[in-house]
Amino acid sequence: MGHFSSMFNGLARSFSIKKVKNNNGNCDAKEAADEMANEAKKKELILKSSGYVNAQGSNNLASVFSKRGEKGVNQDCALVWEGFGCQEDMIFCGIFDGHGPWGHYVAKQVRNSMPSSLLCNWQKILAKATLEPELDLEGSNKKLSRFDIWKQSYLKTCATVDQELEHHRKIDAYYSGTTALTIVRQGEVIYVANVGDSRAVLATVSDEGSLVAVQLTLDFKPNLPQEKERIIGCKGRVFCLEDEPGVHRVWQPDAETPGLAMSRAFGDYCIKEYGLVSVPEVNQRHISTKDHFIILASDGVNTYKPLTKQNIIHPHTLKIFKKL
């Protein structure tokens, strides 16, 4: 477990291991994460609106651009947190695409709660893995890797965020919801977690020397075999409307509602019992010298030109650069 030492020493500056072990561990961990977020805001390391962030001495450069479309309220939002978890080599980035009458409120709520919740869970699992090297979370005999820790942290976080959203007193998420596409860059590794149909694309150099796009995430649409099987198994329905051929939607068993065009989302509790889930797909990728930047974008973004560094990034996009 020696590879955890640098991570553990960094977070220990703001988080006491004793707090994880006492009876108020959950509360203390959350308070520590919130305190880190407040400190990051004071240092202007958190970005929630169009602009960019590049901390002094950091190898990361992230920019955000969002613009209201023709449908009315802009329900997309984003967040960048440089120095995530008081770690100099870490950055958190996310994009959240809301839908439904309360979609813009739902997206902002998930955006605001997910980073601190993820940091809280990551701290606790990392601390336990450091103190208990043989910790086993999934019934296997292998020791936890960095990826295992991030995956478990994301799974716990998404479950908690969705549960808290359901009981939020000021937000009605029964017929509204949001996607959540987030990444954490830690050193030369990125961890990607996706709920919904937003997309992460990596710009990398091919063997021929041209800049090419590599899709890092799967668009979770209802017609994907594994998604449709789960929805049908929960008595939900998947079909296209006559005037929308090719657009598969999720419907309640006995009603023409809500017609959600994705199979995973936060909120949308009207169909949570019929196969919609907020479980993220989590994967990792090691960054190489050929990789230039990553784009996180909602499904409203279209690519009209070949991918180049000079192209304009379209609305509802978060772009993360790696200095080479």
Side-chain angles (χ1 to χ4, degrees), residues 153-165 266 278-280:
S153 300
Y154 263 114
L155 291 172
K156 289 180 178 294
T157 296
C158 290
T160 299
V161 169
D162 198 52
Q163 184 179 33
E164 291 177 348
L165 177 64
F266 290 94
S278 57
V279 179

Side-chain angles (χ1 to χ4, degrees), residues 115-130:
S116 294
S117 181
L118 177 63
L119 181 56
C120 173
N121 285 310
W122 177 71
Q123 288 174 326
K124 291 190 292 184
I125 295 175
L126 177 58
K128 289 180 180 179
T130 305

Side-chain angles (χ1 to χ4, degrees), residues 170-233:
K170 297 183 179 181
I171 298 177
D172 183 357
Y174 192 72
Y175 287 109
S176 300
T178 186
T179 70
L181 171 58
T182 67
I183 70 169
V184 172
R185 178 186 174 184
Q186 184 177 36
E188 299 306 301
V189 182
I190 56 172
Y191 303 94
V192 186
N194 185 34
V195 177
D197 59 357
S198 296
R199 185 181 298 182
V201 177
L202 170 71
T204 190
V205 178
S206 67
D207 294 337
E208 291 73 31
S210 59
L211 202 60
V212 296
V214 178
Q215 186 170 335
L216 300 179
T217 54
L218 178 66
D219 300 345
F220 283 109
K221 298 294 188 180
N223 60 315
L224 290 176
Q226 71 275 20
E227 302 296 290
K228 185 175 182 179
E229 181 180 0
R230 183 187 68 247
I231 294 168
I232 299 301

Side-chain angles (χ1 to χ4, degrees), residues 229-247:
E229 181 180 0
R230 183 187 68 247
I231 294 168
I232 299 301
C234 294
K235 302 187 184 303
R237 296 182 296 162
V238 176
F239 62 85
C240 306
L241 296 175
E242 291 184 2
D243 60 346
E244 290 184 321
V247 181

